[in-house]
Amino acid sequence: MFEIISGIILLVGAFFVLVAAVGLIRLPDLLMRMHATTKAGTLGAGLILLAVAFTYGDVAVIAMVVATIIFIVLTAPVAAHMIGRSAYYVGIDLWQGTIVDELKKAYKEGKAGSDPQVKVEAEAESVSDDQKV
Amino acid sequence: MTLFLLNIILALIWTFVSGSFTLGTFVIGLILGYLVIALVSPAIDRENYVGRVWKTFTLVGFFIKELFKSSFRVALDVMKPGQFTMQSGVIAIPLDAETDLEITLLANLISLTPGTLSLDVSDDCKHLYIHAMYVDEGVEAVRNEIKSGMERRILEVTRA
């Protein structure tokens, strides 16, 4: 019985990893691709680990599985956020199906995106420009 | 925090009394200890420990439900042959969450749910900018879904 359950979970997990791979190739722009890889990847890896825990049913294995899932859930969104933000920041093209972009306006009005590091560098540059004059 | 310790102590006592030191008995002890604390909570529960733990578990359950629901939606669209018909967009979400912990938690959970990806926070921490894959039903619909779903539940945990 356990074998059947873990087999099904394993297959569903593998399916989501496959979806992540296909989505990475098929989806139209970088931000959409980030959706496929981080989420479907997380769910797929999580389900495969769950199947492993089901198969062995050992305390040591379960503890390791839980720890691994926790670390995937902790790190995946941070990586996705950083890649997505830096890609947006350097101005990648969004596909034609993008109907609203409220962040662009915020960047223009200076409400967001003023990275402290960038600000410091910009000020340093303006100071050195003043000295030249 | 003290009630959390009490809960662990009750679980340990349960493990000692039942005589088998396994993960299973400890977990059962935790659940029983929680029920005992819930039973006497009006007398000792000043920090709303019972409510917080309950809300945390409902948040986890809600998140797993959302994860599966939207994963299947994304999977269906990725596997469907032909051109993509969905409409995406970058949307500003006004934040009720104030502390760094609340905003970080919200941004991470939004990133983990398929179909939405948090991109940036405004300088005054009043808005969260997310990239949403499905804006077909309008910007307001996405905004309401996140505000009344994920954000409300997070605030129930942190401010209970």
Side-chain angles (χ1 to χ4, degrees):
Chain A
M1 190 60 201
F2 269 141
E3 280 171 10
I4 299 171
I5 294 174
S6 63
I8 291 171
I9 299 174
L10 204 59
L11 279 176
V12 176
F15 168 73
F16 277 114
V17 176
L18 178 71
V19 167
V22 174
L24 182 63
I25 297 171
R26 279 202 66 205
L27 285 170
D29 69 6
L30 185 138
L31 290 175
M32 304 271 274
R33 287 177 180 176
M34 292 303 303
H35 285 289
T37 49
T38 51
K39 290 61 183 264
T42 310
L43 189 61
L47 285 174
I48 291 172
L49 283 165
L50 203 66
V52 170
F54 255 113
T55 316
Y56 288 94
D58 192 22
V59 176
V61 176
I62 292 175
M64 238 181 332
V65 164
V66 170
T68 316
I69 290 178
I70 287 175
F71 276 109
I72 290 178
V73 167
L74 275 182
T75 51
V78 179
H81 168 67
M82 287 322 291
I83 296 173
R85 182 176 186 264
S86 49
Y88 191 92
Y89 202 80
V90 298
I92 46 141
D93 293 329
L94 301 174
W95 77 305
Q96 71 271 20
T98 311
I99 50 171
V100 281
D101 189 348
E102 293 177 344
L103 184 52
K104 200 184 220 166
K105 205 173 103 214
Y107 274 174
K108 268 192 191 143
E109 288 169 5
K111 277 185 196 159
S114 54
D115 192 10
Q117 192 64 37
V118 175
K119 224 178 209 170
V120 169
E121 280 167 14
E123 274 165 17
E125 266 172 29
S126 66
V127 167
S128 61
D129 283 349
D130 291 343
Q131 283 168 347
K132 274 178 206 160
V133 176
Chain B
M1 210 58 204
T2 42
L3 283 181
F4 179 58
L5 275 179
L6 179 65
N7 202 346
I8 288 179
I9 291 169
L10 285 174
L12 280 177
I13 291 172
W14 174 261
T15 351
F16 291 146
V17 170
S18 61
S20 66
F21 293 90
T22 59
L23 192 67
T25 19
F26 186 71
V27 171
I28 292 172
L30 275 181
I31 295 168
L32 287 176
Y34 177 73
L35 289 179
V36 168
I37 293 173
L39 211 60
V40 292
S41 65
I44 56 171
D45 198 359
R46 287 202 191 80
E47 50 197 318
N48 197 8
Y49 171 75
V50 175
R52 265 173 200 240
V53 172
W54 179 248
K55 293 284 182 200
T56 310
F57 277 101
T58 46
L59 174 68
V60 171
F62 173 77
F63 169 68
I64 291 174
K65 194 191 87 194
E66 287 289 304
L67 189 67
F68 272 95
K69 214 172 73 184
S70 40
S71 284
F72 274 109
R73 193 177 181 187
V74 174
L76 213 68
D77 267 332
V78 166
M79 289 300 184
K80 204 165 61 188
Q83 289 293 308
F84 291 107
T85 51
M86 71 277 231
Q87 292 171 311
S88 62
V90 180
I91 296 170
I93 292 179
L95 285 174
D96 284 326
E98 278 164 0
T99 60
D100 284 351
L101 174 76
E102 287 165 1
I103 295 174
T104 313
L105 210 58
L106 180 65
N108 272 11
L109 288 185
I110 283 176
S111 280
L112 272 173
T113 327
T116 48
L117 177 78
S118 51
L119 278 181
D120 209 342
V121 181
S122 66
D123 291 344
D124 53 3
C125 289
K126 288 270 162 59
H127 289 85
L128 180 68
Y129 296 92
I130 66 163
H131 180 261
M133 236 169 134
Y134 303 100
V135 202
D136 309 32
E137 290 151 28
V139 178
E140 279 305 317
V142 179
R143 231 175 247 156
N144 285 337
E145 205 184 313
I146 286 181
K147 280 206 82 68
S148 63
M150 206 71 96
E151 191 184 29
R152 183 177 59 83
R153 277 161 212 269
I154 288 173
L155 293 185
E156 276 176 358
V157 172
T158 52
R159 292 180 188 171

